Amino acid sequence: LSVRRFMLQRVIRLYPLFLIGVALGSVKAVGQILMHDGTALSLPALTMTLIASPMMLPTPGANLVSIFPLNTPGWSLFFEMIVSLAFGAALFRWRNSSLLLATAIAAMLLLPGILSHDGRVAGLGTSWPDFAYGFPRVFFSFLTGMLIFRMTQGRERQVNGDVLIAILALIALLLGRPDSWFNAEYDIVVLMLIIPAVLWCGAIWEVPERHQRFFAWLGDISYPLYILHFPLLMIYLFVARGHAIHPAILGIVFLLAM
């Protein structure tokens, strides 16, 4: 499989829903301008992002809250395309020892960003001031996934109900919000130890057959939910702020749209 063909497959997989997200974000951005919303993008900034975003490129402008103002999760797709290009061109040839070294380097480069970003991984790489941290953030995750895949490849997955406990534990960790003094340590442990451990469990264990269709469905909708939730949420908040509509009604509409 050539690099060109591999990248084309990634674009076919990711681009359609990404473009829908950009379109939804555009609706919200234009609505803000027409309603003279104080948080609206300026016309030059909107014009620039309407040119850059459809090409999966970040919008220039140090004063922007996000490098993808119309759909913030686009930041990760931009970096994912870069790491996918690196994978198609070279990473798939690397030995495990080289991947392990590269993963450790990415982790070390990411740590200062976490410590200086209010102790949070969230947000790193999404705006121009911390744009550079997007590289180690995405490369660490991608290389960790490669290592786990290689180390578990060929192993027969065992049906184990305990994997459900691991899934529930992960949900609890993601929903948890520690006190501010504990933020950095919490994010570092979750990102670099617990999530890889959960991925390892997922690679060697299989959920009981009665649950497989449900979890397969969750996997199918994970990317659409990720790439579309933000513009839909922003539209929801914009409408809720500008109109006297009961929050419960708007919440139902939002959930149906998702």
Side-chain angles (χ1 to χ4, degrees), residues 73 111 180 184:
L111 283 175
S180 58

Side-chain angles (χ1 to χ4, degrees), residues 105-218:
I105 292 173
M108 288 188 291
L109 292 174
L110 184 57
L111 283 175
I114 298 174
L115 296 173
S116 64
H117 197 256
D118 297 325
R120 290 287 185 182
V121 175
L124 287 178
T126 65
S127 62
W128 287 114
D130 50 50
F131 174 79
Y133 287 111
F135 291 98
R137 182 178 176 185
V138 173
F139 269 87
F140 173 81
S141 301
F142 190 89
L143 295 172
T144 299
M146 283 186 66
L147 285 167
I148 291 174
F149 172 77
R150 287 189 178 183
M151 289 186 288
T152 59
Q153 190 178 21
R155 294 184 57 168
E156 183 178 355
R157 300 175 73 185
Q158 302 294 322
V159 175
N160 192 325
D162 291 343
V163 71
L164 299 178
I165 298 176
I167 293 169
L168 292 175
L170 177 61
I171 293 173
L173 286 168
L174 295 177
L175 293 178
R177 186 179 179 86
D179 294 333
S180 58
W181 67 271
F182 192 43
N183 282 346
E185 293 84 354
Y186 182 87
D187 275 20
I188 291 169
V189 170
V190 170
L191 174 69
M192 299 186 179
L193 295 177
I194 297 179
I195 291 180
V198 172
L199 288 175
W200 178 275
C201 292
I204 63 174
W205 290 344
E206 183 63 87
V207 296
E209 186 175 357
R210 63 182 180 275
H211 300 306
Q212 288 179 10
R213 290 185 62 184
F214 173 69
F215 283 103
W217 175 74
L218 288 180

Side-chain angles (χ1 to χ4, degrees), residues 7 10-11 14 56 77-85:
M7 293 303 297
R10 299 306 297 151
V11 171
L14 300 174
M56 275 192 179
L77 268 66
F78 168 73
F79 285 106
E80 182 175 338
M81 295 304 290
I82 293 176
V83 74
S84 294
L85 180 60

Side-chain angles (χ1 to χ4, degrees), residues 3 64 181:
V3 176
L64 295 175
W181 67 271

